[in-house]
């Protein structure tokens, strides 16, 4: 029994390495074949499931990828749960960001609605909102013209954000814009003061000086 377990463990890891090699060479269908074989041999080795999800995503088989990662979230392995959650979150955050930015400064309500739909789908998989989730929701609310909601969402993002001041600047900037559009000049200036970092620095300082 011990020998059998050891052999199964080795076979599973060999399938992972073969699948990863195929994945790196963009042979995604072949990679999935190896990952499936590894999963069948020992599903507790979660690297195969995670990489299968990535391969499915590369093939634009999004629903299948999400199903694989959702199954991993039910796994007791905390590292696997975190990896799967991050993969799902990254996909839908990218979808939300793409929707919001695809028309540049002329973003439409349809763009905002598509972004919100992506984030709602993400949370439907049991993924909790983080600072970036609230940020994209705030941007969408601003586009729609619901400035009070945009400010509330921006504040939620600011409260839980744990990154650098440069990364946090976008949260203060969307808050500042929303307050500005709603007519709260003093509140907007205060918010823009928190956005004077990185790529938002020049724009934030411009609004602070001109409002």
């Amino acid at each position: 029994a011990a020998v059998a377990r050891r052999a199964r463990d080795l076979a599973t890891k060999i399938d992972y390495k073969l699948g990863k090699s195929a994945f790196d060479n963009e042979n995604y269908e072949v990679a999935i074949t190896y990952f499936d074989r590894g999963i069948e041999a020992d599903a507790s080795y979660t690297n195969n499931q995670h990489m299968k999800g990535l391969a499915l995503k590369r093939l634009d088989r999004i629903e299948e990828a999400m199903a694989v990662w959702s199954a991993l979230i039910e796994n007791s392995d905390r590292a696997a749960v975190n990896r799967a959650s991050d993969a799902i979150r990254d996909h839908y955050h990218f979808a939300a960001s793409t929707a919001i930015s695809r028309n540049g400064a002329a973003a439409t309500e349809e763009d905002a609605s598509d972004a919100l739909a992506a984030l709602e789908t993400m949370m439907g998989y049991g993924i909790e909102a983080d600072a970036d989730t609230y940020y994209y929701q705030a941007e969408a609310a601003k586009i729609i013209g619901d400035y009070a909601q945009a400010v509330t969402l921006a504040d939620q993002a600011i409260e839980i954000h744990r990154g650098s001041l440069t990364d946090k600047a976008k949260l203060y900037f969307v808050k500042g814009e929303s307050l500005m559009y709603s007519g709260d000049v003093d509140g907007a200036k205060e918010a823009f003061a928190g956005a004077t970092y990185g790529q938002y620095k020049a724009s934030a300082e411009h609004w602070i000086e001109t409002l």
Side-chain angles (χ1 to χ4, degrees):
V3 171
R5 283 195 299 271
R6 179 61 177 159
R8 186 168 59 247
D9 177 65
L10 290 172
T12 300
K13 291 177 179 177
I14 289 170
D15 285 327
Y16 169 75
K17 289 185 179 294
L18 292 171
K20 183 66 165 55
S21 177
F23 180 91
D24 291 342
N25 286 306
E26 300 183 3
N27 296 322
Y28 303 122
E29 293 284 4
V30 174
I32 289 170
T33 300
Y34 285 120
F35 295 139
D36 276 338
R37 195 167 70 180
I39 292 166
E40 184 178 356
D42 184 2
S44 69
Y45 186 71
T46 56
N47 287 345
N48 282 308
Q49 284 119 306
H50 181 69
M51 288 303 302
K52 179 182 178 181
L54 290 177
L56 288 165
K57 183 180 176 182
R58 292 290 179 88
L59 292 170
D60 205 30
R61 291 158 61 179
I62 303 301
E63 289 186 6
E64 292 176 74
M66 295 303 150
V68 170
W69 285 326
S70 293
L72 270 181
I73 291 174
E74 301 300 321
N75 194 286
S76 60
D77 182 342
R78 178 50 53 185
V81 170
N82 290 340
R83 262 200 317 182
S85 298
D86 288 345
I88 295 174
R89 183 181 289 109
D90 288 348
H91 172 77
Y92 287 106
H93 278 181
F94 180 77
S97 175
T98 300
I100 288 169
S101 62
R102 65 190 171 203
N103 288 307
T108 66
E109 289 193 14
E110 182 181 358
D111 298 330
S113 295
D114 287 347
L116 292 172
L119 298 172
E120 185 177 350
T121 300
M122 178 196 82
M123 289 185 283
Y125 286 106
I127 307 301
E128 293 184 4
D130 64 3
D132 282 335
T133 305
Y134 289 128
Y135 165 70
Y136 293 124
Q137 289 177 326
E139 285 283 3
K142 182 195 71 179
I143 292 166
I144 292 169
D146 190 348
Y147 303 126
Q149 177 69 356
V151 170
T152 297
L153 290 163
D155 280 337
Q156 287 178 282
I158 290 166
E159 182 179 353
I160 65 174
H161 185 270
R162 296 293 179 269
S164 67
L165 291 174
T166 300
D167 187 51
K168 199 172 189 176
K170 66 185 180 185
L171 310 180
Y172 282 106
F173 195 82
V174 68
K175 179 180 179 179
E177 285 185 310
S178 300
L179 289 166
M180 178 176 65
Y181 295 145
S182 67
D184 184 350
V185 173
D186 290 338
K189 285 185 174 182
E190 183 179 350
F192 283 132
T196 55
Y197 300 93
Q199 63 179 312
Y200 296 94
K201 179 177 172 64
S203 296
E205 290 178 343
H206 165 77
W207 287 121
I208 290 170
E209 293 171 4
T210 59
L211 281 176

